Structures are given as C-alpha cells and as structure tokens.
C-alpha cells in the first residue's frame, strides 16, 4: 500500500486532506481510484489506513479506516554524523541509512573533507537530502522522517556530543588492530529510547587530532570488523548491527 | 598501504612480479618509488608485505618482507543470490557486499525480474561485476575475491541449495508479520566454515510460488527487522549482522 507523510493539520475528524506533490503522485503517477486505500503517517504522532473518497490532481480526500500501531522504529535513536564525503555519497548514506532506521543525519566539515559548502550551497543540499530522507522513509514504512541537519563545523559536532547518551567513532585504525568489543558493549549499555551518535570520517578518514578531540568529549572508538569499509558503507554496518541486536536478538 | 591480488605464479622465491593493469597502477597512477611497500595477496593462499625493487609501467618487481596472517574473512561463507534487479543495482550490491564480506554472488532470473540477459550480454556483465568485486576486495583488505556466477535460472538456484549448509530467504512478508527469530537462529546453528546461501527477490519481491519452492528445498524465511528494505539494501543488512554476530560478539 502506498504510504505518505502528512502534517498534523491534514488529519482532522478522521478525514485526511492531501495537496501538492503527494496529490499529484496519487492522482497522476499512481492513478489511484476512489475506494483504494493508502497509509498516512503524521511523523511521531499517528499512522492511519484510509480510503480515497475524492481524487483530483490538486486535492485528495481520504476517510480514516483505522489507526495503525507504529512499531517500525529502532528502539534506540541513532544519528549518523558523516564527515562530508565526495560526490553524491551522502545521498546514498541518507537513502539507505533511512531504510535501515537512522533517526537523523549530521554532516560535518572534517579536516580531510574535500567538499566545501558555503551557506547557500549547503541550504540547497539540505533541501535535497531532506527530500531523499522523506522518500526513503515512506518507502521503508518509517514512522518518522529522519532529520538532516545543516552541515556543521567540527567544533559544532564536538559541542553536540553532550546531547547524546553515547557517542562512538567508527575508526579504521581500531578495525585494523582488531578492536571488536566496543560496538557490542555500547549497544548493551543503551536502553530503549537512548540516543546514540555515531561519527564517521570522510574518504581519507578522521585526522588523529579529530579522533583525540572526540575521545576527550567521551566518544568511544569502535572497530566494525576486520574489513576496511568505505565511508558510505560503514553507517549501514552500524545501523544493521543495531537492528540485529535490538530488534532480532531482542 | 596499497593492496593487489596476484596469481600463485607471480610469487616465486620471495619475489613478486606484477605486469598489466596493476603495474600501470603502481607506476603511473600511484607513482610509487623504489623501496615503498605494497601488500600482495594470492587469493585463498597467502598475503605478503613487500618492497618495490624495480618499477616500470610494464613490469614491477617486489621483494617479500614478511608473510602476513589472513584474518579478514567472515568465519562463515555467505553467498548472496539476488533476483536480477533493475539498472546498476547489482553493481552496488557487489561492491558493498564485497566490502561487507560476501564470499560470492549468484544473480538469478526471478519471476518479477524486469531485466532479461541473453548469454552474450550476461558474459559481459559478469566480467564487469567480477572486476568490481576485485577492486572492492582490494580496497577492503579481503583475502579472497568473491566469485560472481553467471546469471542462473530459478531452477538452477533451487538445485544449488543442496550445496550449502543452510539457505535463508529475506522475505518482506516475514518482516511485515514481525518474524524476528529466523536470522538469529540460523547464525547460531552455523559453525566456522559453514556455507550460507541468502536469497533476495528483485524490486517486486519473490512470487509466492518461488517462495514455496524455496521452502520445499529447505530454505527458511527470515525477516530483517520491521522496516521494508530495498532489494539492494537487504544484503548489506544480512552481511553486517553476520559480522556483528560472528566477529564482534564472537
């Protein structure tokens, strides 16, 4: 069944009202007809299954059939902090990371980031990234749309660590020396509802200075197995491992 | 350190001889100089750290400094069977799947596969896929290059199940109904050296008939958490979960 995210104000008296891109998608792309069903989620609030009662390209109305329980979110909230990578790698991280359950994405300018974004470019990028997150969230039946933050400086990243229950750094050198207990121990230390920040370097990795500064703020260095993962692959590992640990082993 | 895969015959009397693309890469792309070190792996046999003694675009000679222990392979061998997906998704599956430790890839023509490959097209594709696997294996410090099989028919896939110690099917409907024990139980039932086949549908998923036929051959249906993963994301989940289970929790 097609799924759409809607605003709180679009769901009133058990009626859903949809306009804009989503109305176009329902009427013209999916060519849906009266009495067909869709799922609408007010992020973080409620999800309803509903029947289309009125369809035009400008305005869709749907009647709520039932309120659906939301159980699709990871028990812990994971924010992926990525040192700005080259090209469109962050798009891949956001799309697949959203499918795999990330709560948010925090791009930051790492010492070895080659890409530099001025404020104007950054805002345009964030709009695009947020759209990718929304589409992936719909596709993967998420209950929330992960937030994509404005690219931060490394100092801002350091300052944000205090707002999380734990912070880990995916560190290539840890992987090479066979560090294997950190991720397991971190997961075991977190309880439902905890907030975890995971920091990944850009292509060249984090600098030693950056790693030291993160450690001073309480971040723990973790290996992700013995194989060297690319900067865009490492977040998938952490998110899948978290799902395996919290949702399958539960 | 740069890593290259070599043939058994290229390593003789503690000397490594490199020609072709890799020689070009060392001499002209990396512009390496005498006395710099590289790592060479004879897949499945040995890995050596060696010093460049002679460099030209046609021929590189290197002297072995030490034999390195190989510990970068997953304790179980996992083959990813992908219902042929659209576009270049299989390239992404092979690249990232290799980083994450897959032993091999077995594309197959699923009922809902939209792509059809004749033998000639398939051979060209396999060459390209195998090249992607080799490059990703070098990059991620693998000890073997995963094999990419010629695209199989569904019947050939069914026939191949008997050669594995276990076979699981990543099944969307299992995920939706909250199946969560299958993957954990399967991992727990496998010991070091076991061979696991994991079957993934194409974009539209496996047909009910295909799922039934796989089950008749002993395959187990598994959910991969409550979120719906795209066809190219689900293999990453299984491989990362396997690494977490066998290498980190170990």
């Amino acid at each position: 069944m097609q799924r759409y995210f809607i605003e709180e104000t679009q769901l009133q008296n058990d009626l859903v009202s949809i306009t804009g891109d989503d109305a176009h998608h329902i009427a013209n792309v999916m060519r849906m007809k009266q009495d067909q069903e869709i799922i609408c989620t007010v992020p973080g609030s409620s999800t309803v299954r509903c029947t289309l009662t009125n369809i035009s390209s400008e305005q869709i109305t749907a009647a709520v059939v039932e309120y659906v329980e939301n159980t699709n979110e990871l028990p812990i909230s994971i924010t992926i902090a990525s040192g700005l990578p080259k090209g469109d790698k962050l798009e891949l991280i956001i799309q697949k990371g959203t499918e795999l359950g990330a709560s948010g994405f925090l791009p930051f300018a790492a010492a070895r980031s080659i890409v530099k974004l001025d404020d104007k470019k950054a805002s345009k990028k964030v709009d695009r990234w947020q759209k990718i997150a929304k589409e992936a969230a719909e596709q993967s039946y998420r209950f929330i749309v992960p937030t994509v933050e404005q690219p931060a400086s490394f100092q801002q990243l350091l300052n944000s660590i205090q707002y999380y229950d734990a912070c880990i750094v995916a560190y290539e050198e840890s992987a090479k020396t066979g560090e294997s207990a950190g991720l397991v121990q971190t997961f075991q230390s977190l309880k439902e509802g905890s907030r975890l920040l995971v920091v990944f370097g850009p292509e060249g990795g984090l600098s030693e200075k950056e790693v030291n500064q993160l450690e001073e703020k309480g971040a723990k260095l973790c290996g992700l197995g013995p194989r060297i993962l690319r900067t865009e692959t490492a977040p998938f590992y952490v998110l899948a491992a978290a799902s395996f640990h919290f949702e399958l082993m539960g």
Side-chain angles (χ1 to χ4, degrees), chain A:
Chain A
M1 213 177 301
Q2 284 295 313
R3 298 176 82 99
Y4 300 92
F5 284 106
I6 58 173
E7 309 269 331
E8 192 99 50
T9 53
Q10 291 177 258
L11 170 59
Q12 306 233 324
N13 304 324
D14 288 348
L15 282 177
V16 174
S17 160
I18 298 175
T19 55
D21 285 353
D22 287 342
H24 169 72
H25 190 261
I26 291 168
N28 304 330
V29 181
M30 301 303 297
R31 294 165 191 261
M32 294 187 79
K33 306 278 171 240
Q34 211 169 308
D35 294 332
Q36 284 192 277
E37 291 191 341
I38 59 172
I39 302 263
C40 295
T41 294
V42 182
S45 165
S46 50
T47 292
V48 292
R49 183 161 64 84
C50 45
T51 307
L52 298 173
T53 52
N54 214 311
I55 301 172
S56 80
S57 308
E58 287 79 42
Q59 166 102 28
I60 307 281
T61 316
V64 171
V65 179
E66 66 163 344
Y67 282 73
V68 183
E69 212 184 324
N70 289 288
T71 54
N72 291 355
E73 293 302 313
L74 271 176
I76 64 166
S77 119
I78 301 182
T79 299
I80 302 293
S82 290
L84 270 172
K86 285 191 247 179
D88 52 9
K89 282 184 187 169
L90 201 60
E91 296 187 6
L92 187 72
I93 293 172
I94 290 170
Q95 186 194 64
K96 303 270 160 269
T98 297
E99 289 175 58
L100 290 164
S103 287
F105 300 91
L106 175 55
F108 67 94
R112 294 188 187 140
S113 286
I114 299 198
V115 176
K116 311 278 176 214
L117 295 175
D118 58 33
D119 282 357
K120 201 180 141 201
K121 262 196 205 159
S123 291
K124 261 182 95 170
K125 281 276 189 192
V126 170
D127 286 349
R128 180 166 166 74
W129 292 332
Q130 193 64 61
K131 199 168 165 223
I132 290 171
K134 177 170 179 282
E135 285 170 2
E138 283 171 352
Q139 150 113 21
S140 57
Y141 296 12
R142 295 288 304 271
F143 177 51
I144 61 156
V145 181
T147 50
V148 184
E149 308 280 347
Q150 285 283 332
S153 67
F154 184 71
Q155 189 57 48
Q156 287 170 322
L157 172 71
L158 286 178
N159 294 343
S160 75
I161 291 179
Q162 60 186 305
Y163 301 112
Y164 294 86
D165 298 299
C167 174
I168 58 178
V169 179
Y171 191 42
E172 200 167 281
E173 296 306 318
S174 301
K176 284 184 191 162
T177 57
E179 194 294 314
S180 68
L183 190 64
V184 178
Q185 283 168 1
T186 300
F187 285 165
Q188 285 170 347
S189 76
L190 295 173
K191 53 179 194 297
E192 208 174 317
S194 295
R195 289 163 52 83
L196 173 66
L197 179 68
V198 193
V199 183
F200 302 88
E203 283 84 0
L206 295 165
S207 72
E208 216 182 298
K209 188 176 161 201
E210 285 172 324
V211 170
N212 292 340
Q213 286 177 291
L214 285 161
E215 276 194 291
E216 276 165 26
K217 291 282 184 182
K220 191 169 183 166
L221 310 187
C222 291
L224 305 177
R227 290 164 299 283
I228 300 304
L229 304 176
R230 287 178 213 229
T231 182
E232 72 276 22
T233 314
F236 310 157
Y237 185 110
V238 171
L239 291 163
S243 168
F244 183 77
H245 183 273
F246 289 102
E247 296 179 324
L248 299 197
M249 292 175 56

